[in-house]
Amino acid sequence: METTTNPQTQTLGYWAVKAIQKHLEKVISHESEVLKDHDPEELHQMRVGMRRLRSAVVGFEPVLKLPESADDQKIGRIARRLGKLRDLDVLLEILQNTYYSRLPPSEQEILDKILMDWVKQRHKAFRVVEWTLEHKIYQNLKEDLQDWIKEPSFTSLEKIPINEVLPDLLLPQISHLFLHPGWQVGVTQDPVNSTVITSETLEIILDQQGESLHDLRKQAKKVRYQMSLFTDFYSPKYLAYLEDIKAIQECLGDIQDTMVLMEKITDKIPFKINSKLPTFIGLLAENRYKSWQKWQELQQRYLKAENRQDFRLELLHPVIGNG
């Protein structure tokens, strides 16, 4: 979609098409390599592209008239199937590259059987991905969006200058993020008599409220993807906030990875896991605690009302003239 005049390239419609085109091209560029299944990174990048495409569809929804095949739910269904395979890749990668070599032979032997089982599960998950990418749901999504990009269809909001509506696009997601109960996990209501959270206390907290942190991470990811669409329209301060969102997502993601790894292995070894895999469980707890300490710094920063308000104010003031 080529435009020659600056006013056209500043419109909401133009940027909606630009975002969808960019992310669709990323998805398609990794498709053939994903089907070859030689490099897990290809799947990861295709999944990221699919999620960012979905974020663009949701973020620009007020201006878009998309084909039915490009519905948010249909994109989500494809992304989840890619996600199941990616989750297994992550489990295998973490267990093999982060922990396995640091374990005694007796624990390695136990985990060998689990690794073999996960490889079998991965084979089945890849077949599902293969089927998905050859199915008409994905093929129609791809072809219909490519046609739409050539002749896009919009609502009456198409010609609105994007600078005028950026806060309206971004602030609702930020509000959802800041109002998420996950920010309160591990926060004492009595700061005077508060105690430092130990590794042991953290395990109790995560057992009771870990799901809330996981959900906060998903909200942070949505915000990150949406904010990434509009970096051309804000100052370097905006980029710093975007880096914070990325760090939040990564810290909580690291905590989640250790919890999922523990959960999946407990499923395979439901009894006496502590005596069978003591070194492994200790390493998991140690890494979880390190990630928690990084998260606490970000948590404390954004629990301060003035920092949240500065973030909102930055979104209210796009830099006019970029694009």
Side-chain angles (χ1 to χ4, degrees), residues 11 44 139 180 248 318:
T11 64
H44 174 54
Q139 293 298 327
H180 197 285
I248 288 166

Coordinates of all heavy atoms in Angstrom, one line a residue, residues 11 44 139 180 248 318:
T11 N -2.8 8.6 8.6 CA -4.2 8.3 8.9 C -4.2 6.9 9.7 O -3.3 6.1 9.5 CB -5.1 8.1 7.7 OG1 -4.6 7.1 6.8 CG2 -5.1 9.4 6.9
H44 N 9.0 -20.5 16.6 CA 8.8 -19.4 17.5 C 8.5 -18.1 16.8 O 7.6 -17.3 17.2 CB 10.1 -19.3 18.3 CG 10.2 -18.1 19.2 ND1 9.2 -17.8 20.2 CD2 11.0 -17.1 19.3 CE1 9.5 -16.7 20.8 NE2 10.6 -16.2 20.3
Q139 N -5.2 -21.3 5.2 CA -5.0 -20.8 3.9 C -5.9 -19.7 3.5 O -5.5 -18.8 2.8 CB -5.2 -22.0 2.9 CG -4.1 -23.1 3.0 CD -2.7 -22.6 2.7 OE1 -2.6 -21.8 1.8 NE2 -1.7 -23.2 3.4
H180 N -4.8 -5.0 37.0 CA -4.7 -6.5 37.1 C -4.3 -6.9 38.6 O -3.4 -6.3 39.1 CB -3.7 -7.1 36.2 CG -3.8 -8.5 36.0 ND1 -3.4 -9.4 36.9 CD2 -4.3 -9.3 34.9 CE1 -3.7 -10.7 36.5 NE2 -4.2 -10.6 35.3
I248 N 8.9 -7.0 32.2 CA 7.8 -7.6 33.1 C 7.4 -8.9 32.5 O 7.3 -9.9 33.2 CB 6.6 -6.6 33.2 CG1 7.0 -5.4 34.0 CG2 5.4 -7.4 33.7 CD1 6.0 -4.3 33.9
P318 N 1.5 12.0 21.8 CA 2.2 11.6 20.6 C 3.1 12.7 20.0 O 2.7 13.9 20.2 CB 1.2 11.1 19.6 CG -0.1 10.9 20.4 CD 0.0 11.9 21.5

